Amino acid sequence: MMKFLFIMLSLLLISGCANQYPNQNPIGQNFPEISGETLEQQTVQMPRHFNGDYTVLLVGYKQDSQFDIDRWLIGLDMTNTVVDAYELPTIGGMFPRMFETVINNGMRAGIPKELWQGVITVYQDGDTLQAFTGNQNPRNTRVILLDKNHRIIYFNDVGFSVAGLNALRAAMGQ
C-alpha cells in the first residue's frame, strides 16, 4: 500500500501543474467562485464560505508548497494575527481527480484532525484557480487576503518573507 501511495503521489507531483499559466496579480478582483472539500469531507462553495472581515487563503500547487504555507502560518501565529486562514491544496487536471481519495487520505494522515476543517482541497476547479493566480514557480504559496466582500486586497506569490507578512498585516490594519 505504501508503495502504491508513493507512486500516486509521485505522479501527482509530476502532473500537478500540467497546464502552465502566467503569473497574475489579482489585487482588486473578486475571488472566483469555485468548490472544494475539507479534509472533514464537507463540500465548500468559495468564496461565500468565508464570512469574516478578512480571510487568508494559502494556495499550494505542489506538495513542496507546504513548507512555504507552514512559514506563513507560523508567522501569523507568532505575530498574534487574528484572521481566518485556510490552506487550499489545488490540483488541476483529470488524472489527480481520479485519485483524490488517496491523496486526501494521505493528507489526513499527516495533519492533526482538529485542523482538517481549515484544509480545503480543490480538484475540479483547480485549473480555474491556477489560471486566476498563475502557476509559474508553483512551489511558492499564493497568499490571498480577502475582505468581507471577497475582494482580494493583498496577494503574494514570491514566497514567505517578514516584509510580506508585515504587508499582509498592514492590509488588515494590524
Side-chain angles (χ1 to χ4, degrees):
M1 180 63 182
M2 288 302 292
K3 189 174 185 178
F4 175 75
L5 182 59
F6 177 76
I7 291 169
M8 289 297 102
L9 287 176
S10 296
L11 289 172
L12 170 66
L13 292 176
I14 293 168
S15 65
C17 287
N19 294 320
Q20 293 296 311
Y21 302 104
N23 285 350
Q24 307 292 321
N25 184 346
I27 291 177
Q29 297 181 47
N30 286 336
F31 191 76
E33 293 194 17
I34 60 173
S35 65
E37 184 177 280
T38 69
L39 291 183
E40 292 180 324
Q41 299 180 313
Q42 299 298 313
T43 300
V44 174
Q45 300 299 321
M46 298 173 267
R48 64 184 143 190
H49 176 76
F50 311 126
N51 55 20
D53 286 339
Y54 298 104
T55 303
V56 172
L57 305 177
L58 302 167
V59 182
Y61 296 138
K62 295 274 191 185
Q63 185 179 10
D64 293 349
S65 300
Q66 190 62 52
F67 179 73
D68 200 30
I69 289 170
D70 290 344
R71 293 190 311 173
W72 281 98
L73 289 172
I74 290 168
L76 291 169
D77 184 56
M78 295 300 293
T79 56
N80 296 315
T81 303
V82 179
V83 65
D84 293 335
Y86 296 87
E87 292 182 50
L88 274 63
T90 302
I91 306 163
M94 181 58 91
F95 180 77
R97 277 192 278 173
M98 295 186 303
F99 297 98
E100 69 181 86
T101 301
V102 173
I103 295 166
N104 286 347
N105 285 340
M107 285 190 278
R108 283 185 197 96
I111 298 173
K113 191 171 185 169
E114 62 268 14
L115 302 178
W116 288 2
Q117 77 279 358
V119 179
I120 305 169
T121 57
V122 179
Y123 292 101
Q124 183 173 346
D125 294 324
D127 281 321
T128 299
L129 189 50
Q130 288 185 33
F132 183 71
T133 67
N135 62 7
Q136 295 170 329
N137 302 318
R139 289 185 177 104
N140 292 350
T141 300
R142 274 45 179 182
V143 181
I144 299 170
L145 177 63
L146 303 178
D147 67 13
K148 64 183 175 185
N149 298 314
H150 308 133
R151 182 170 298 278
I152 297 169
I153 59 172
Y154 174 85
F155 179 77
N156 178 302
D157 66 355
V158 296
F160 176 81
S161 70
V162 173
L165 176 63
N166 288 338
L168 174 107
R169 290 173 44 79
M172 292 187 290
Q174 293 191 23

